[in-house]
Amino acid sequence: MAPITATAINCSLSARGRTSSTDAMLAVLTEHFEAEGVRVGKPIRIAAHSIKWGVTSNEGAGDEWPKIREAILGSDILIFGTPIWMGQACGRLLLGR
C-alpha cells in the first residue's frame, strides 16, 4: 500500500525571507501528520509564486499555478495554512474594525 501524502499550502502574507507564524503552525501540523505515517512535502508559499488571476487551471505564460495544482491533485490530503498572528493582534484588530 502506498503511503498517504499531504501537500501544505502556506498563504502567509509575506512572500519570503522570514519565518512566519503560518510557517510555525504548518511545522507543528507536519510533525503530527508525519508521526501518523503521512508523508508531507515542503510547504508551498503562495506569495512566493507568480499566480495569474483567472478562472482556468492555466492562465498562460508565466502562471505557476499549474505546477502547484499538480502537487495538490497528487496528494491525498491538502493542508491549507492561512495568515495567523500568534500572540499579536491581527491587522483587523489594529484598525478597530
Side-chain angles (χ1 to χ4, degrees):
M1 180 184 222
I4 295 174
T5 60
T7 295
I9 302 294
N10 181 337
C11 292
S12 176
L13 299 175
S14 56
R16 51 185 91 172
R18 68 180 180 92
T19 302
S20 68
S21 295
T22 307
D23 287 317
M25 188 56 68
L26 287 174
V28 170
L29 288 170
T30 295
E31 181 179 325
H32 286 279
F33 273 99
E34 288 179 344
E36 296 299 323
V38 177
R39 188 182 317 156
V40 182
K42 181 180 175 189
I44 300 168
R45 187 181 290 249
I46 296 297
H49 294 274
S50 176
I51 299 174
K52 296 189 174 200
W53 292 90
V55 296
T56 69
S57 59
N58 188 341
E59 293 298 325
D63 188 5
E64 294 183 64
W65 177 250
K67 184 177 178 184
I68 295 168
R69 180 177 182 270
E70 185 177 307
I72 292 169
L73 294 176
S75 296
D76 300 300
I77 300 169
L78 173 61
I79 304 168
F80 195 74
T82 62
I84 55 174
W85 292 268
M86 296 190 311
Q88 301 173 31
C90 72
R92 184 175 181 193
L93 293 176
L94 293 174
L95 295 174
R97 293 184 183 172

